[in-house]
Amino acid sequence: MTRLGDDPRTARSTLETMWRIRRFEEAVDDLFARGLMHGTMHLSIGQEASATGTCFALRDDDAITSTHRGHGHCIAKGADLERMMAELLAKETGYCRGRGGSMHIADVATGNLGANGIVAGGIPIAAGAGLAYMIQGIDRVVVSFFGDGATNEGAFHEAVNLAAIWKLPVIFVCENNKYGMSFSTAKSMGVKTVAERAAAYGIPGLRVDGNDVEAVHEAVGTAVQRARSGEGPTLVEALTYRWKGHSKSDKNLYRTKEEITEWRSQDPIERFERIVVERGVLSTTDVEEIRAAATNDIRDAARRANAAPDANPDDLLTAVYATA
């Protein structure tokens, strides 16, 4: 498989995507702090490589299910930045007309079957989508993103078991950022790695540096080929780290400044920038232009989204369905 940093076009696209994710989340963090955005949010700053490397291993018609920490997945799968920003600002032009907010963005047109506020909630949805594709004879695969905490939920084990039995075209991608909310993985699992849990279901379990976008792309690419050829699912554990707290209310009392500083020094974006410059694929000027363009794109998206009409509370019940 060709590496993401081997040719200028792919390297540029990869770097653009990671910077768009970073700048988007920095922008919404700022908007929230200034009281212009409400509710809560879960930022993935520091985890850009896992979202980008994974989604770049997929075709446009492949699907994903996301998590409450899903901005990066959405952007990497090709979402419109203005519509994303509008959704978080509760605007009528948002993906869910301002009703879903940060944790419930869906974009079926790009294959994003939805973020999910329930821990592990997207995993059985991915298995269901994979089953639907298999029954219909459709050549598509599904990636299910989830965190380390989700692997301790029953939904994870049930979905992986069924996917393994039926050889569903699903790739289970665990973004292991060391903490399920504030609880360390070292205390929450009886095994040393998430990847070794795959053995219980008779499927491959791969562990990869989640801050190395090329390593993630290669690992997921291998899993995608396996799923697409009818060999069934793979569990990929991407080791990464979120720089910010679990959510906006998290004061980070459970981890040290030294730990955060150490992981920040492993910035996945700076790491990829160094690689492509050292290979001569992109110049330092190219890199600076990509950073600036991402900043401008997010600024423009925020400005246009903020000018859009607010969601109308009077229309709230038009999206509610019930059966007798």
Side-chain angles (χ1 to χ4, degrees), residues 151 156 174 176 189 191-201 203-208 235-239:
T151 66
F156 164 80
C174 175
N176 183 350
M189 302 190 304
V191 292
K192 292 184 178 180
T193 73
V194 170
E196 62 190 275
R197 286 183 158 172
Y201 307 104
I203 64 173
L206 308 176
R207 202 172 201 227
V208 65
L235 173 61
V236 179
E237 177 186 8
L239 298 173

Side-chain angles (χ1 to χ4, degrees), residues 50-59 64 72-73 76-77 145 217 220:
S50 60
T52 304
T54 295
C55 289
F56 274 44
L58 300 175
R59 295 194 317 225
I64 66 168
H73 310 147
K77 198 62 175 69
F145 286 104
H217 181 254
V220 175

